Amino acid sequence: MSVILKISNLDKFFGRLHVLRNISLDVKRSEVICIIGRSGSGKSTLLRCINFLEEPSAGEIEVEGLVAKASLKGKERRELVHAIRLKTGMVFQEFNLFPHMSVLENVTEGPITVKKMDKGKAIELAEIYLDRVGLLDKKDEYPNRISGGQKQRVAIARALAMEPRVMLFDEPTSALDPELIGEVLTVMKKLAKEGMTMLVVTHEMGFARDVADRVIILGEGHIVEQGPPAQIFSNPKHAQTKALIERYRSAES
């Protein structure tokens, strides 16, 4: 499989705090990567740098041949960042739905305002993706009338409606009650089976074991270890990975 996303020598500083340290990573088309690590290890910042919600301090991001270097400035950079954002869908911990818009309006907003899509076509597209996440019957509801799990599924449909090449999930189940987590993970598993390229920051070890092609352990801003789930969970090589896996096992038991 060809490489769809390439991260090269990525650094991120917040003031003097060095959050990401020289991260390089190739992601193949249709690959599912789960990123795990302790709080503060840089997981969310890594995702946010990929689509430039955070500005990388150094290095470069390449998505399907579009290369944005941290050193690039001005109009060329703005245009590149915009193009890369169109290729990278993002699903957040908090759902970030517009409370004054219906479910359907939340999903059509991006295609209409960002991609300048005809409203009728945007509605047709939104209904397709709402159906894929099992929420077409809720299209006229408002966010305050649906559950947290349903809100997150709407957020996934909203990201998919932009027809991205890569999906970024930042702990998508962490704000949900335990009984609602399964419905979101089911949608994500379906996307993985359909061949969507996915980077998932998660604490759901069952999902990582069952769905990921590769698990990446992030610690203190750098990649500590990476490999297939069987190796990471059964035979971790690094002491930090072993400690993290044991911590998750204790939490699950």
Side-chain angles (χ1 to χ4, degrees):
M1 290 183 288
S2 60
V3 172
I4 189 171
L5 167 65
K6 187 178 183 67
I7 302 168
S8 302
N9 307 117
L10 178 66
D11 278 90
K12 175 61 182 177
F13 288 86
F14 290 109
R16 294 183 178 181
L17 185 61
H18 199 174
V19 179
L20 297 177
R21 300 169 181 266
N22 196 36
I23 288 182
S24 293
L25 176 66
D26 288 355
V27 180
K28 294 179 180 178
R29 197 175 302 273
S30 299
E31 188 174 18
V32 177
I33 294 178
C34 284
I35 303 168
I36 64 177
R38 293 182 181 275
S39 178
S41 60
K43 307 182 301 295
S44 296
T45 301
L46 175 59
L47 290 195
R48 293 174 67 85
C49 282
I50 290 171
N51 69 353
F52 293 89
L53 289 174
E54 296 289 352
E55 288 288 331
S57 303
E60 64 182 42
I61 306 290
E62 178 179 349
V63 182
E64 282 200 325
L66 297 174
V67 182
K69 297 181 179 180
S71 58
L72 192 63
K73 306 295 181 185
K75 181 181 178 182
E76 184 180 1
R77 178 178 177 78
R78 290 194 298 272
E79 290 176 348
L80 263 175
V81 167
H82 177 73
I84 286 175
R85 283 176 174 164
L86 289 177
K87 292 179 179 287
T88 52
M90 184 87 170
V91 178
F92 302 89
Q93 297 177 38
E94 301 294 340
F95 324 114
N96 292 345
L97 299 179
F98 294 112
H100 63 288
M101 292 183 176
S102 70
V103 163
L104 184 67
E105 289 168 337
N106 266 280
V107 180
T108 59
E109 177 69 9
I112 291 171
T113 61
V114 178
K115 299 180 80 171
K116 310 302 181 186
M117 188 179 291
D118 172 78
K119 184 177 179 179
K121 185 178 178 181
I123 290 173
E124 183 180 334
L125 192 66
E127 289 180 342
I128 289 171
Y129 286 114
L130 284 170
D131 189 45
R132 281 179 69 182
V133 301
L135 288 174
L136 183 57
D137 62 326
K138 300 291 185 181
K139 68 178 184 178
D140 295 321
E141 295 285 2
Y142 284 80
N144 68 344
R145 297 285 301 274
I146 60 177
S147 71
Q150 290 170 336
K151 289 175 186 176
Q152 194 61 292
R153 285 153 61 197
V154 172
I156 293 172
R158 177 181 59 186
L160 290 172
M162 295 296 287
E163 301 187 305
R165 311 300 290 167
V166 179
M167 284 285 285
L168 309 173
F169 293 86
D170 186 9
E171 299 192 36
T173 61
S174 66
L176 299 178
D177 293 333
E179 65 271 18
L180 302 176
I181 290 172
E183 64 187 71
V184 174
L185 294 181
T186 296
V187 170
M188 293 171 65
K189 289 175 182 177
K190 183 180 177 183
L191 289 177
K193 286 182 179 178
E194 292 171 352
M196 174 61 74
T197 308
M198 298 164 59
L199 276 75
V200 185
V201 170
T202 185
H203 294 293
E204 298 295 332
M205 295 301 102
F207 177 86
R209 280 190 295 260
D210 297 342
V211 181
D213 297 299
R214 187 170 20 145
V215 175
I216 290 176
I217 309 297
L218 211 62
E220 297 179 349
H222 67 275
I223 295 174
V224 173
E225 186 173 350
Q226 60 180 305
Q231 182 257 303
I232 292 294
F233 289 108
S234 300
N235 189 29
K237 298 176 181 178
H238 197 283
Q240 189 171 334
T241 306
K242 292 178 183 178
L244 186 66
I245 297 302
E246 283 302 316
R247 183 171 164 229
Y248 281 127
R249 283 176 179 159
S250 296
E252 288 177 344
S253 61

